[in-house]
């Protein structure tokens, strides 16, 4: 079974600076999807960025980018020019492709990293 | 475009009772997913419905069940409630299986 590990329960960053959140995962599959979700105090999980394992190019969405290291099974999230609105719990998630036997569409989540942004 | 909507926002029950949680997916989305976010346990996959059928379920007892209606909305039913069922229940939907999942605000279920 796949597992996702976020080793940083809490992180803090100064406004306008850059922060990197770590995520590692364990899988025997060669094709899969990785996601970062943000959950502010309002509770709604918001998709931040996604990465397909077959793509070597790291995904980027505005101030958010990932460093995907497939061999190391690492998927870190970099937030540039941090803003107060970035404060939230961040969850890393893994999903098997549907084509995989037993591919189930379920997301496997890490425990989350609480990000605080200091003014 | 309206997002995933869940009701009620908060539900208070006692042990042994039954709870029904509701979810309306984003318009046009056919797949609905349910997750449990319990304190200290993180987010765990509960159920996946697509085109009215249960496609997969997580490692939860049978007293957790649900269904998906012809309009693609969904219900999660939890019977014989136990204290450890207290959690935030999140519903997500996707346009098709394989597409990114978009979440609602959740229903906070509290068991007294």
């Amino acid at each position: 079974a796949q597992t996702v590990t976020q080793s940083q329960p809490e992180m803090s960053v100064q406004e306008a600076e850059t922060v990197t959140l770590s995520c590692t995962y364990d899988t025997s599959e060669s094709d899969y999807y990785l996601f970062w979700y943000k959950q502010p105090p309002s509770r709604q999980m918001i998709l931040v960025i996604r990465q397909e394992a077959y793509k070597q190019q790291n995904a980027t969405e505005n101030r958010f980018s990932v460093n995907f290291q497939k061999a190391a099974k690492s998927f870190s999230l970099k937030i540039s020019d941090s803003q107060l609105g970035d404060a939230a719990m961040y969850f890393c998630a893994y999903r098997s492709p549907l084509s995989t036997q037993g591919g189930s569409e379920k997301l496997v989540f890490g425990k989350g990293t609480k990000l605080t942004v200091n003014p | 475009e309206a997002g995933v909507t869940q009701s009620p926002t908060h539900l208070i029950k006692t042990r042994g009772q039954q709870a029904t949680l509701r979810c309306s997916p984003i318009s046009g989305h056919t797949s609905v997913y349910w997750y449990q976010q319990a304190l200290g346990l993180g987010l765990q996959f509960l159920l996946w419905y697509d085109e009215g059928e249960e496609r997969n379920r997580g490692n939860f007892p049978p007293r957790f069940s649900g269904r998906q209606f012809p309009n693609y909305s969904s219900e999660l039913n939890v019977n014989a409630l136990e204290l450890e069922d207290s959690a935030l229940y999140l519903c997500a939907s996707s346009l098709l299986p394989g597409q990114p999942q978009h979440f609602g605000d959740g229903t906070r279920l509290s068991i007294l």
Side-chain angles (χ1 to χ4, degrees):
Chain A
Q2 295 81 21
T3 58
V4 177
T5 302
Q6 294 179 250
S7 59
Q8 307 152 316
E10 295 188 28
M11 291 281 286
S12 64
V13 63
Q14 291 296 125
E15 198 176 2
E17 294 190 345
T18 296
V19 64
T20 298
L21 308 184
S22 301
C23 172
T24 58
Y25 56 93
D26 187 28
T27 183
S28 58
E29 297 172 327
S30 59
D31 192 19
Y32 45 86
Y33 300 87
L34 296 165
F35 305 85
W36 279 99
Y37 280 89
K38 165 186 175 182
Q39 188 179 38
S42 64
R43 307 188 322 197
Q44 185 178 28
M45 296 280 284
I46 301 166
L47 178 63
V48 175
I49 200 165
R50 64 180 292 200
Q51 174 82 41
E52 290 88 348
Y54 64 85
K55 290 185 177 178
Q56 292 186 338
Q57 186 174 8
N58 289 324
T60 299
E61 287 288 341
N62 300 313
R63 298 183 295 106
F64 299 87
S65 61
V66 298
N67 183 7
F68 173 49
Q69 301 289 328
K70 190 172 184 179
K73 296 180 182 175
S74 170
F75 183 61
S76 60
L77 175 70
K78 185 172 82 170
I79 306 174
S80 303
D81 185 25
S82 297
Q83 300 176 359
L84 294 177
D86 295 334
M89 283 291 289
Y90 285 81
F91 293 93
C92 179
Y94 173 103
R95 182 172 69 77
S96 300
L98 276 179
S99 58
T100 300
Q101 185 177 7
S104 67
E105 268 297 285
K106 72 175 184 181
L107 290 170
V108 178
F109 286 90
K111 296 286 189 188
T113 296
K114 182 179 180 181
L115 178 66
T116 301
V117 181
N118 300 311
Chain B
E1 173 184 84
V4 176
T5 57
Q6 293 186 243
S7 63
T9 302
H10 197 173
L11 190 56
I12 301 173
K13 295 285 186 178
T14 57
R15 286 181 61 192
Q17 286 189 312
Q18 184 256 353
T20 298
L21 288 62
R22 296 179 176 83
C23 172
S24 292
I26 293 172
S27 178
H29 286 198
T30 63
S31 277
V32 171
Y33 315 82
W34 288 95
Y35 292 86
Q36 182 195 66
Q37 188 176 20
L39 198 60
L41 294 178
L43 280 138
Q44 295 185 310
F45 168 75
L46 260 168
L47 290 159
W48 168 34
Y49 292 96
D50 182 61
E51 296 288 352
E53 299 285 332
E54 181 181 303
R55 301 297 185 185
N56 198 28
R57 65 180 293 128
N59 189 25
F60 282 84
R63 56 191 187 82
F64 286 83
S65 65
R67 53 180 172 168
Q68 186 178 33
F69 299 99
N71 66 354
Y72 302 113
S73 67
S74 177
E75 273 183 2
L76 173 68
N77 296 294
V78 188
N79 295 319
L81 286 165
E82 300 179 3
L83 293 176
E84 56 263 34
D85 297 334
S86 293
L88 180 67
Y89 289 83
L90 291 167
C91 173
S93 72
S94 66
L95 184 62
L96 292 168
Q99 296 298 307
Q101 296 176 22
H102 301 271
F103 286 79
D105 289 346
T107 292
R108 173 77 62 189
L109 177 60
S110 300
I111 313 302
L112 304 179

